[in-house]
Every structure is written in structure tokens, then in C-alpha cells.
């Protein structure tokens, strides 16, 4: 069985765990009302209970980010979108570098940090939240979970059960569950997502986004960025996301046209780049470090290129670009690393760790004086460095 | 319905007294269940002196660590949250019923209000699952696959522990805790035929099997004083009836 | 077999023979791969995994274990993971690596193998017998969320990486033999 992480997907997107098999009906039953709970004797009640247990597992998985400011910000966007359901939907931010978001039938929504890292602005976040919320409101999720439970003896299971189950069992499992599912896909056993449900979630989600005053044209941008990353990645490993969602060209096209109609000459729609970047600023470094740990260097390169183009906190981005090259260590990479670290330092703003990494790179290049100088800078800027004694040892060896 | 062996085929008991080694605990292997032609074993380990548990001992029932999987045609295991949640409800009800039927005082675990203690308890539950797997791997099923995984450091000993942090679990002054671990997997129909021709256990989790173990832990010391493994073709734990039957089998020789 | 915890990290080479996987190592002086001796302090159950890895335990690898990495060469990965398709490779040791870089290799390897929330701290010079080496403490979560902690002692001798890692569950098992393993690593004598 594949070990976790070893199978890290390029992009695992299960936008809407309610993206179920083609047997799921759209618009069946009324839209979920604010504060609605299922009839305790009905079939839906069991599903709700299962979802409550899933949420419990999620809460205790140790991978949920607790930072109050970040949680407040994200939940705030949700409440802008659907003020009536503000208290019905709980948002969990899960520390996992893959791009994903899931919605459980009882209103437990999870956003993975790999996704938050990749979104650019508030409008894009609103698009994701709107899409997920629609799956919840239109009972796609509830229907799908209920159907799945009714089909307990069925031969084929929707891969999202595995993903959800993996998520519920302690997020770290998702890698291996997803990896197994890819195996499934390759054997052609997986049912495609219901195009109807996906289309419904996109459309209603966009309407929600526009109504709340966000710019719906940002939806297509999310997809374009994902595709660029996907194209850079490992072709031999199929992406679960792209194998199960409607083709990207179609999706981008209809998202763009629907967005245009919704915008219809309106002015002053919020994109909200600055508040979004500010909200994630203190965590982006951690998420970039997690991203690098995936060791999918081509994909990370594409991501960094895009982020650098957008220009927020360049010192951090140049630092991580340097780290990418240093860790990859192919021909010519060490020089690229040195150049990136120097660019980071040129901003005048960079972390002490940039000096340490520059020192490591220069040492590898044979520049002993340069390396020593960098290590000394690091220790001066980071007096409480955990590896102080080790760096002092290097300095003494380089004299 | 999932394939299931009739109970009559299961029991073929031998009472064996294996080693007796000096030291705090000695191993007395009470029962080895063999069934010719069946791919299952259940076996029991307990420490000496256990037979003197007094009546009306207070036993704490801890939350079950359970997961259900589907075995795909490719032999991969997919965890199924839906099934797991359903089975967990059935199993915990069955366990409560089993303990209530015995002459002891049952206490059902309640989550402590203190977050730190709650975290400690969760770690102890997970530790139990790891310890149980070690016991199975190195003791109960150590000689299954043509190679022995017995630990020389455990020769003639049955002395695994969770450590005395279990003292923090003595809810209602419970003396013993019962921990249960279940992994159950179901096959799609295409694989069912393969199951019955499969060789003896190669892996801890082959397709279409229930692996369940239970430990009785002395909460004062954390020492595991009684352990049983049930390793049988799957009953359907998603049904209350199968859950009752399986738990009954698991706890049959519980010295309470 | 579903591989768990530290056991799963380094081990995928299964020796198929009709013999005992674990042999007894007594407290008397013991040679590790012709490069150094240690004094084991207590009795251990020892198992070989290929030529490069030896693991000692008392209660079971998922509970506590001492790993001896015996001379990893340039370009070899810390992990021995069988890749099933895909082009991602486990991170490799390079002989130019200093302590910080070996630490990065260690973290990358554990993360690659699915250990969660890998944390390392207090990297510092430490003797490997009479040779200059380094040491760090670490912790991680297993796939099941069990907290594990450990420490590692390493050195590059003749361009090859030697590591000794001791880890155990934060609850109970790590502490159980910690003092013994500290004495063990203090007893290293290079041949």
C-alpha cells in the first residue's frame, strides 16, 4: 500500500464532497433552510449523525489550524455570502499542502491550506465558499451521503468516500486513500462526478458571489492557475481532480460567460486582493514550507512564479525559490539558489534564515569566506537560533 | 450479505501451557483456536493471577478504535467513514450489553472537560492500538507467514503496558479498563472467491477479514493483564446482530 | 503489511527465509557493521533490513526502536520505499551535506513517508565516538495520530552517513529506554 506523502497528489480537488456519482439528482427536495435539522426518524438523520462523527474526527485530527484571526476572516467571507446560514456552517482550516476543500452534509466545511496558499484574493475565496455552500444548500451532499449509505453492498464506491474517510481518520491518511483512488481511476472503475451537480454548484455559487458584491470573474482565474500547475506536473500520475471534473476548457468558458452576464456593467465589485493577502500573510511562509516538502519541484516552481508576478512579500517568495533550487540540487541549481537568496536580501526585508541558507549554498559552491559571513549574519539576526551551536561550529571550521 | 463461516466450524480448542519464566509476568497461553481449512485464529493471553479478579470490580469501557474498509478488486483498502460510523455505534452498544451481563460495575468513558487530560487520553487510546498490534505481530500471530516475528526480549513474557498515565482514567474509581480495536474489511463480490482460497494470514489486514482485539488494562499500572484477538472472516458489523455476535466472541473468556 | 511509525519509515526490504526475523542482542559489547562498537546496556531484539539498516527493539518497532543506519553513500535515499509508478523519488543523501542538510534530509524523508507534523530542534555538534558528529531531537505524529519523539546522532565517516536514531511513543515507551540509549551512544568506539 502506498505510504502517505509518497503519493502526494499534484492537485486533489474535491470541490464539494457532494460531487457525487451520476446517479445523484439535482434539486431534489427543497433547499436546506437556516437552522434546519433533519427529522430524527428519517433516513437523513442517520446521514447527519455520520457527518457529526466525521466533524468530531476532523476537530481532533490535530491538523486543524486554530488561529482566531484567520478563522474569523474566512468565516466572515462566508457570512457575507450567506448571512442566513452564517451559524449553520462551520469552517475548518486544515493544514495540508494539497489543493482541496470538502463539505459534509451537516455543514462542516474544510478548506485545505494548499488551497488558501494558491488563492489570490477575497473574490476567489468567495467563489470556493459559494461552490461548497451550494452543495450543502441544494442537498447534493446530503443526497450523496444518503445514497452511498443505502448502497452499502454496492460494488463501486465514490472516491470521495475514501477521501472523506481518509480525512476523517486523521488528515494524514488522505494521501494514501487518494493514491488508492487514483489506482481505481486508472482501472476505469470510478464514476465521474455528476456534471449537473457541479454545474449547479458553479452557477448558484457564482450568483451568490455576485449578489454579495464580489467579482465573479475571478472564478475562471482559479482554474487557469490550477491548469498551469497541472501541466507542469508529473504527466505519468493522473490527477484525481482533472479525471473527475468537467473538462477545464468547458468550465472556464462557461464560468467566464456566466460571470460576464452577472457583472453586466456593474462597477465596484470587490476583488479584495489586499485584505486576503494580509489575512494569510503571517501563515504563507509556513504553507510554502509545507508546499516545498511535497518535493514536487516543477509544480512549486510554477506556483512561485505566479506568486512572484503578483508581488506580495517578495522577500519570502525569493527565499523559497532559493530553497527550491538548493533542495533540488540539479546542475546549475546552486547558482540559481544563491541568486534568489541575494534577491531576497536586496528587498531589505528578509528573514534571518535567508542568511543561513545562503551560507549553506555558498559553502557548497566553495566560497568559504562568503559562507562564513552569511552564517555570522544569521546568528546576529537570530540570537536565539535553535541550531546556534552547529552554526558556530561551521564558522570555526571555515576560518 | 458478506460471506461468513458458521460458528460450529470455528471452535477446536487446545489448552496449551507454554512457558513459565521468572519475572513479574508469565505467559500462559490458554486457548489456541484452530480450524482446519478455515483462515482464522483467535487466541488469548493473560497474566497469572488474573483469575482472582474479585466480583463487582468496576470496569471502564473505553471508546472503540474502529475502522471499516472496502477491499477493491486491485486489493487496495479504502477506508469508509460511513460504514465506520455505523459499525461503531453497533459495536459500542454490543460491548455495553456484554459488560452489563456480567457481574461487574460498568462505567462508560466520558470525555474529560480538561483539554489536556482529553489529549492525554486520546494518546493512550492510540497507544493501546499500537501496543495491541505489536502483541499480535510479535506474539499471537508471530509465526504465521513462514518466518517468525517473535521478539527474543518477550520470550516467555507477556508484559506490555500503557504506562501509569492510565491512572488519569480511573473514572468512577474504575480498576480496569477495557480497550477494543477493530479493523474490518469487506470485499466486493469479485474478490469473495479469492478469500476462501487464500493462504493463511500474510499481512495483518488481508482482504475481507475482521481483525479485532481487546485488552483488559489495570488502570493503576497501565499493564495489560488480558488480551484476546479475533481474526475471522467478516461478519457485517454494520448490522447490530453481527456486532453483538462478534463482541460476544471477542469477550467470551473475559475474566470478569 | 501496513507499515506504521518508525518501523515503516526505513523498512521495505523483507527478508524471506524460514527463519527468525529477530535475534537477541545481549548487553555485552556489540559490533555495528565493522565500523564501530557499542555497549547495548540491556537485551534487545535485533533485526536486519538489508545491508544498511539494523533495528533494535524490546517491545515492538511501533512502540520504541533504535535504528542504526550503517554507511549511506552519496545518492542513496534514507528511505527504502518501493515506488509504484510516478516519478517522485525519496530524498537522497549527498556526501557534501553538513549537519543542517542532513537534518533537512531527515525531515524530508519522514514527511515523504507520511509522518505528520515532523518537528526537529536543538541541532548541535556531538561526538560520534571520537569523530565529530551532530545530534538533534525530533518528534512526529504517526498516521494514526500517535505522538512519537526521538533523538538522532549522526556523522559522515569516509563520505558515508552513519546515523543512530532512537524513538518511542511520547506516552511511556520513549522514556522507558531513553537513559539506556544515552549510555549506548556514549559508549560508541570507532574501530
Amino acid at each position: 500500500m502506498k505510504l502517505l506523502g509518497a503519493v502526494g497528489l499534484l492537485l486533489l480537488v474535491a470541490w464539494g464532497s457532494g460531487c457525487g456519482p451520476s446517479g445523484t439528482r439535482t434539486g431534489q427536495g427543497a433547499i436546506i433552510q437556516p437552522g434546519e435539522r433533519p427529522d430524527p426518524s428519517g433516513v437523513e438523520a442517520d446521514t447527519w449523525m455520520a457527518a457529526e462523527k466525521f466533524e468530531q474526527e476532523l476537530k481532533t485530527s490535530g491538523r486543524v489550524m486554530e488561529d482566531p484571526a484567520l478563522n474569523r476572516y474566512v468565516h466572515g467571507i462566508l457570512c457575507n455570502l450567506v448571512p442566513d446560514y452564517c451559524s449553520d456552517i462551520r469552517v475548518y482550516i486544515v493544514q495540508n499542502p494539497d489543493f482541496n476543500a470538502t463539505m459534509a452534509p451537516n455543514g462542516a466545511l474544510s478548506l485545505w491550506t494548499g488551497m488558501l496558499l494558491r488563492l489570490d484574493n477575497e473574490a476567489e475565496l468567495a467563489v470556493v465558499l459559494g461552490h461548497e455552500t451550494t452543495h450543502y444548500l441544494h442537498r447534493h451532499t446530503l443526497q450523496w451521503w444518503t445514497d452511498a449509505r443505502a448502497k452499502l453492498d454496492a460494488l463501486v464506491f465514490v472516491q470521495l468516500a475514501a477521501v472523506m474517510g481518509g480525512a476523517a481518520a486523521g488528515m494524514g491518511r488522505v494521501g494514501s486513500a487518494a493514491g488508492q483512488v487514483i489506482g481505481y481511476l486508472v482501472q476505469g472503475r470510478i464514476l465521474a462526478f455528476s456534471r449537473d451537480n457541479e454545474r449547479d454548484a458553479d452557477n448558484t455559487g457564482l450568483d451568490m458571489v455576485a449578489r454579495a458584491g464580489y467579482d465573479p470573474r475571478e472564478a475562471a482565474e482559479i482554474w487557469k492557475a490550477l491548469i498551469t500547475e497541472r501541466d507542469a506536473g508529473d504527466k505519468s500520475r493522473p490527477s484525481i481532480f482533472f479525471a473527475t471534473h468537467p473538462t477545464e476548457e468547458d468550465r472556464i468558458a462557461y464560468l467566464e460567460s456566466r460571470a460576464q452576464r452577472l457583472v453586466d456593467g456593474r462597477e465596484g465589485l470587490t476583488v479584495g486582493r489586499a485584505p486576503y493577502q494580509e489575512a494569510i500573510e503571517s501563515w504563507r511562509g509556513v504553507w510554502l514550507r509545507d508546499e516545498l516538502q511535497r518535493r514536487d519541484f516543477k509544480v512549486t516552481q510554477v506556483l512561485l512564479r505566479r506568486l512572484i508576478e503578483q508581488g506580495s512579500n517578495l522577500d519570502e517568495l525569493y527565499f523559497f525559490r532559493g530553497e527550491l533550487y538548493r533542495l533540488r540540487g540539479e546542475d546549475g541549481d546552486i547558482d540559481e539558489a544563491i541568486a534568489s537568496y541575494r534577491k531576497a536580501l536586496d528587498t531589505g526585508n528578509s528573514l534571518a534564515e535567508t542568511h543561513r541558507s545562503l551560507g549553506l549554498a555558498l559553502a557548497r559552491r566553495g566560497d568559504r569566506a562568503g559562507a562564513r559571513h552569511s552564517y555570522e549574519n544569521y546568528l546576529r539576526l537570530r540570537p536565539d537560533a535553535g541550531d546556534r551551536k552547529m552554526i558556530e561550529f561551521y564558522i570555526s571550521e571555515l576560518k | 450479505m458478506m460471506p461468513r463461516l458458521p460458528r460450529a466450524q470455528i471452535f477446536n480448542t487446545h489448552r496449551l501451557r507454554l512457558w513459565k519464566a521468572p519475572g513479574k509476568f508469565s505467559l500462559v497461553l490458554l486457548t489456541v483456536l484452530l480450524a482446519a481449512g478455515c483462515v482464522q485464529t483467535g487466541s488469548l493471553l493473560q497474566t497469572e493471577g488474573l483469575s482472582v479478579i474479585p466480583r463487582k470490580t468496576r470496569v471502564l469501557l473505553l471508546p472503540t478504535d474502529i475502522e471499516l474498509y472496502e477491499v477493491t478488486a486491485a486489493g487496495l483498502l479504502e477506508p469508509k467513514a460511513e460504514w465506520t460510523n455505523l459499525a461503531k455505534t453497533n459495536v459500542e452498544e454490543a460491548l455495553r450489553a456484554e459488560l452489563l451481563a456480567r457481574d461487574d460495575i460498568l462505567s462508560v468513558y466520558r470525555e474529560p472537560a480538561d483539554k489536556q487530560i482529553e489529549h492525554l487520553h486520546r494518546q493512550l487510546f492510540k497507544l493501546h492500538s499500537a501496543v495491541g498490534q505489536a502483541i499480535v505481530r510479535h506474539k499471537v500471530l508471530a509465526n504465521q507467514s513462514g518466518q517468525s516475528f517473535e521478539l527474543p526480549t518477550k520470550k516467555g513474557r507477556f508484559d506490555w503496558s500503557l504506562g501509569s498515565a492510565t491512572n488519569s482514567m480511573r473514572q468512577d474509581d474504575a480498576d480496569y479498563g477495557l480497550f477494543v480495536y477493530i479493523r474490518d474489511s469487506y470485499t466486493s463480490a469479485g474478490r469473495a472467491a479469492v478469500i476462501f482460497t487464500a493462504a493463511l494470514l500474510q499481512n495483518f489486514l488481508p482482504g475481507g477479514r475482521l481483525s479485532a482485539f481487546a485488552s483488559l488494562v489495570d488502570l493503576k499500572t497501565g499493564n495489560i493483564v488480558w488480551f484476546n484477538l479475533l481474526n475471522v472472516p467478516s461478519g457485517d458489523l454494520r448490522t447490530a446482530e453481527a456486532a453483538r455476535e462478534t463482541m460476544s466472541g471477542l469477550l467470551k473468556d473475559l475474566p470478569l | 503489511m501496513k507499515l506504521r511509525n518508525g518501523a515503516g519509515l526505513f523498512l521495505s526490504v523483507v527478508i524471506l527465509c524460514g527463519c527468525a526475523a529477530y535475534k537477541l542482542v545481549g548487553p555485552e559489547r556489540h559490533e555495528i557493521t565493522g565500523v564501530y562498537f557499542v555497549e547495548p546496556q540491556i537485551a534487545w531484539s535485533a533485526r536486519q533490513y538489508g545491508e544498511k539498516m539494523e533495528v533494535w527493539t524490546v517491545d515492538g518497532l511501533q512502540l520504541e526502536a533504535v535504528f542504526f543506519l550503517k554507511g549511506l553513500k552519496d545518492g542513496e535515499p534514507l528511505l527504502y520505499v518501493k515506488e509504484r509508478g510516478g516519478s517522485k523519488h525519496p530524498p537522497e543523501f549527498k556526501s557534501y551535506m553538513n549537519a543542517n542538510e542532513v537534518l533537512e534530509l531527515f525531515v524530508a524523508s519522514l514527511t515523504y513517508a507520511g509522518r505528520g507534523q515532523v518537528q526537529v530542534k536543538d541541532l548541535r555538534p556531538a561526538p560520534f565516538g571520537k569523530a565529530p558528529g551532530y545530534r538533534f531531537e525530533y518528534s512526529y505524529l504517526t498516521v494514526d495520530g500517535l505522538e512519537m519523539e526521538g533523538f538522532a546522532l549522526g556523522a559522515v565517516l569516509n563520505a558515508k552517513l552513519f546515523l543512530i536514531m532512537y524513538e518511542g511513543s511520547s506516552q511511556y515507551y520513549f522514556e522507558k529506554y531513553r537513559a539506556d540509549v544515552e549510555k549506548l551512544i556514549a559508549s560508541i568506539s570507532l574501530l
Side-chain angles (χ1 to χ4, degrees):
Chain A
M1 205 190 312
K2 289 191 179 166
L3 295 173
L4 296 168
V7 187
L9 289 183
L10 292 184
L11 305 161
L12 169 64
V13 179
W15 273 18
S17 54
C19 304
S22 41
T24 312
R25 304 160 295 284
T26 316
Q28 185 96 348
I31 290 175
I32 288 189
Q33 293 304 302
E36 181 179 319
R37 286 280 179 280
D39 167 12
S41 60
V43 171
E44 283 185 354
D46 286 343
T47 305
W48 195 275
M49 195 173 69
E52 301 275 81
K53 289 187 178 166
F54 161 76
E55 187 173 350
Q56 195 53 35
E57 297 272 336
L58 184 56
K59 281 204 267 208
T60 57
S61 65
R63 288 167 203 258
V64 172
M65 294 195 66
E66 316 250 275
D67 177 41
L70 182 63
N71 278 284
R72 225 180 359 252
Y73 173 77
V74 173
H75 199 247
I77 308 291
L78 176 83
C79 294
N80 288 348
L81 277 180
V82 281
D84 292 340
Y85 297 92
C86 187
S87 51
D88 282 359
I89 297 176
R90 281 89 51 213
V91 182
Y92 297 95
I93 298 171
V94 173
Q95 193 170 357
N96 184 311
D98 286 328
F99 183 98
N100 197 16
T102 67
M103 172 63 98
N106 67 339
L109 194 161
S110 81
L111 294 175
W112 294 15
T113 53
M115 171 180 275
L116 291 177
L117 174 63
R118 287 166 164 81
L119 296 180
D120 180 63
N121 54 57
E122 249 175 43
E124 287 188 3
L125 178 57
V127 164
V128 171
L129 292 172
H131 183 102
E132 291 305 311
T133 304
T134 304
H135 281 312
Y136 166 71
L137 291 181
H138 289 193
R139 299 180 190 272
H140 300 164
T141 332
L142 196 53
Q143 280 163 7
W144 175 78
W145 276 53
T146 308
D147 280 351
R149 291 181 64 256
K151 288 177 196 161
L152 288 178
D153 292 330
L155 289 184
V156 179
F157 284 83
V158 181
Q159 71 272 25
L160 285 168
V163 173
M164 291 286 268
M171 290 295 166
R173 276 237 173 87
V174 175
S176 78
Q180 291 164 13
V181 167
I182 284 188
Y184 240 151
L185 283 172
V186 168
Q187 291 160 51
R189 290 192 58 196
I190 286 294
L191 300 173
F193 285 134
S194 153
R195 285 167 167 264
D196 290 344
N197 279 358
E198 277 297 280
R199 196 60 70 105
D200 182 26
D202 277 342
N203 290 343
T204 307
L206 276 190
D207 292 349
M208 237 184 247
V209 162
R211 210 167 33 239
Y214 294 105
D215 192 335
R217 290 169 291 193
E218 289 299 315
E221 296 306 309
I222 303 173
W223 286 83
K224 287 179 188 165
L226 279 184
I227 285 160
T228 316
E229 274 189 41
R230 189 231 18 205
D231 288 345
D234 182 356
K235 309 276 186 299
S236 68
R237 181 178 286 127
S239 155
I240 189 181
F241 169 67
F242 285 105
T244 55
H245 280 69
T247 64
E248 54 275 10
E249 288 77 24
D250 285 348
R251 197 162 196 160
I252 291 179
Y254 80 69
L255 284 173
E256 281 180 330
S257 74
R258 192 180 184 91
Q260 279 303 125
R261 271 182 279 129
L262 285 168
V263 169
D264 188 32
R266 272 172 78 185
E267 305 248 316
L269 286 170
T270 306
V271 169
R273 212 167 165 270
Y276 182 80
Q277 293 295 326
E278 194 187 309
I280 68 168
E281 184 175 7
S282 55
W283 289 107
R284 199 180 65 167
V286 170
W287 300 341
L288 283 168
R289 189 204 57 204
D290 291 344
E291 165 65 23
L292 255 188
Q293 282 292 350
R294 293 174 63 242
R295 297 177 52 81
D296 208 338
F297 296 122
K298 288 207 171 77
V299 167
T300 308
Q301 255 185 314
V302 167
L303 171 64
L304 280 174
R305 193 173 305 139
R306 182 162 62 86
L307 293 177
I308 286 172
E309 253 171 64
Q310 285 152 4
S312 296
N313 293 345
L314 284 171
D315 58 310
E316 181 178 79
L317 298 173
Y318 287 134
F319 168 69
F320 279 103
R321 193 173 71 180
E323 293 289 84
L324 188 158
Y325 284 120
R326 185 173 64 81
L327 292 170
R328 193 173 71 176
E330 287 172 6
D331 283 340
D333 276 355
I334 204 66
D335 291 319
E336 292 282 351
I338 291 168
S340 286
Y341 294 134
R342 291 209 161 118
K343 264 197 135 126
L345 293 172
D346 283 344
T347 65
N349 215 6
S350 56
L351 288 171
E353 280 69 23
T354 313
H355 291 281
R356 178 178 59 186
S357 287
L358 179 56
L360 291 170
L362 289 171
R364 228 198 283 172
R365 206 74 194 74
D367 179 354
R368 295 170 66 87
R372 197 184 79 231
H373 186 64
S374 288
Y375 289 143
E376 284 165 352
N377 285 339
Y378 166 66
L379 288 182
R380 195 170 25 88
L381 291 168
R382 188 66 85 215
D384 59 345
D387 54 357
R388 164 168 285 274
K389 295 208 187 85
M390 204 66 231
I391 305 292
E392 283 171 350
F393 176 77
Y394 298 151
I395 290 172
S396 69
E397 293 272 291
L398 286 165
K399 284 210 163 94
Chain B
M1 276 308 283
M2 296 300 154
R4 207 165 33 165
L5 284 174
R7 282 187 77 82
Q9 259 181 290
I10 297 177
F11 302 119
N12 186 0
T13 61
H14 300 264
R15 289 189 169 258
L16 295 174
R17 191 176 180 84
L18 283 187
W19 306 278
K20 199 181 157 84
K24 246 182 160 183
F25 301 96
S26 18
L27 168 65
V28 178
L29 189 64
L30 282 188
T31 308
V32 175
L33 300 174
L34 301 168
C38 300
V39 277
Q40 78 221 357
T41 13
S43 61
L44 193 62
L45 299 167
Q46 68 180 46
T47 57
E48 265 195 356
L50 197 55
S51 48
V52 294
I53 289 187
R55 312 207 104 197
K56 294 290 182 195
T57 300
R58 199 176 280 274
V59 183
L60 177 65
L61 176 62
L62 287 317
T64 311
D65 180 350
I66 176 170
E67 251 191 68
L68 267 53
Y69 298 84
E70 192 211 7
V71 184
T72 69
L76 306 171
L77 289 174
E78 275 184 31
K80 299 292 180 193
E82 295 282 8
W83 293 354
T84 295
N85 289 327
L86 200 46
K88 186 167 174 150
T89 309
N90 291 336
V91 158
E92 290 187 337
E93 251 174 57
L95 286 170
R96 276 195 292 277
E98 275 291 320
L99 290 175
L100 283 170
R102 293 153 194 266
D103 194 20
D104 292 283
I105 305 167
L106 171 65
S107 177
V108 177
Y109 179 76
R110 297 183 298 273
E111 247 170 52
D114 185 319
K115 287 274 179 231
Q116 276 191 320
I117 299 190
E118 195 210 324
H119 178 81
L120 168 65
H121 288 183
R122 275 193 196 282
Q123 285 298 304
L124 289 170
F125 300 153
K126 294 178 199 287
L127 181 60
H128 168 261
S129 299
V131 171
Q133 286 170 66
I135 295 173
V136 172
R137 181 104 186 118
H138 298 298
K139 201 53 112 169
V140 177
L141 296 180
N143 295 300
Q144 290 287 310
S145 57
Q147 187 180 17
S148 170
F149 293 100
E150 284 176 15
L151 294 175
T153 42
K154 290 301 201 196
K155 192 172 167 124
R157 308 161 78 96
F158 176 57
D159 60 353
W160 276 277
S161 182
L162 304 182
S164 57
T166 52
N167 253 290
S168 68
M169 280 178 175
R170 298 193 60 199
Q171 175 185 298
D172 303 330
D173 293 322
D175 297 307
Y176 293 95
L178 182 68
F179 293 73
V180 176
Y181 171 99
I182 300 177
R183 293 294 182 268
D184 200 356
S185 58
Y186 303 92
T187 63
S188 50
R191 275 275 289 181
V194 180
I195 295 298
F196 289 100
T197 58
L200 275 180
L201 204 60
Q202 292 293 324
N203 306 301
F204 185 55
L205 287 176
R209 303 192 67 79
L210 166 75
S211 295
F213 56 76
S215 305
L216 194 64
V217 174
D218 176 344
L219 294 176
K220 295 184 280 302
T221 58
N223 296 338
I224 298 180
V225 298
W226 177 93
F227 181 87
N228 191 26
L229 169 74
L230 205 60
N231 190 25
V232 295
S234 293
D236 193 348
L237 293 180
R238 299 163 301 182
T239 66
E241 193 204 315
R244 271 196 299 276
E245 209 179 302
T246 310
M247 290 305 103
S248 168
L250 184 62
L251 301 186
K252 197 173 79 71
D253 290 304
L254 185 67
L256 291 174
Chain C
M1 171 180 76
K2 188 163 188 177
L3 302 172
R4 295 180 184 273
N5 306 357
L9 172 62
F10 302 107
L11 319 172
S12 76
V13 178
V14 177
I15 303 167
L16 296 169
C17 64
C19 53
Y22 291 89
K23 304 212 158 40
L24 186 68
V25 170
E28 58 282 347
R29 200 153 165 260
H30 185 90
E31 187 192 295
I32 304 282
T33 197
V35 174
Y36 60 92
F37 283 98
V38 292
E39 280 156 35
Q41 308 300 313
I42 61 172
W44 299 89
S45 300
R47 186 174 171 182
Q48 304 293 332
Y49 283 88
E51 281 173 20
K52 298 285 166 98
M53 183 65 76
E54 185 170 337
V55 189
W56 295 2
T57 184
V58 175
D59 303 290
L61 299 183
Q62 314 94 314
L63 305 177
E64 92 278 317
V66 185
F67 295 89
F68 296 90
L69 179 66
K70 306 185 279 191
L72 204 61
K73 295 207 228 55
D74 184 275
E76 290 180 340
L78 205 61
L79 290 176
Y80 294 88
V81 176
K82 290 199 187 107
E83 276 300 287
R84 276 202 259 160
S87 64
K88 282 170 72 180
H89 303 293
E92 294 162 357
F93 169 67
K94 298 276 162 64
S95 47
Y96 60 64
M97 282 182 171
N98 64 13
N100 282 70
E101 288 161 327
V102 169
L103 185 64
E104 283 174 341
L105 171 68
F106 180 85
V107 172
S109 302
L110 263 82
T111 307
Y112 187 92
R115 309 296 170 248
Q117 303 191 6
V118 181
Q119 315 243 2
V120 289
K121 62 179 193 181
D122 293 340
L123 177 66
R124 59 204 184 276
F128 196 100
K130 285 205 164 68
Y134 36 83
R135 173 173 168 153
F136 54 89
E137 326 296 289
Y138 66 93
S139 65
Y140 65 86
L141 289 183
T142 68
V143 301
D144 299 315
L146 181 65
E147 287 165 10
M148 304 286 287
E149 60 188 276
F151 55 79
L153 180 71
V156 175
L157 309 168
N158 291 332
K160 292 193 276 217
L161 179 63
F162 290 82
L163 279 176
I164 300 177
M165 291 152 285
Y166 171 63
E167 59 180 52
S169 60
S170 295
Q171 277 304 311
Y172 188 59
Y173 283 98
F174 174 70
E175 192 52 39
K176 205 173 174 202
Y177 305 107
R178 191 184 52 76
D180 292 313
V181 180
E182 291 281 9
K183 291 195 193 122
L184 185 157
I185 61 179
S187 75
I188 294 172
S189 67
L190 297 166
L191 281 159

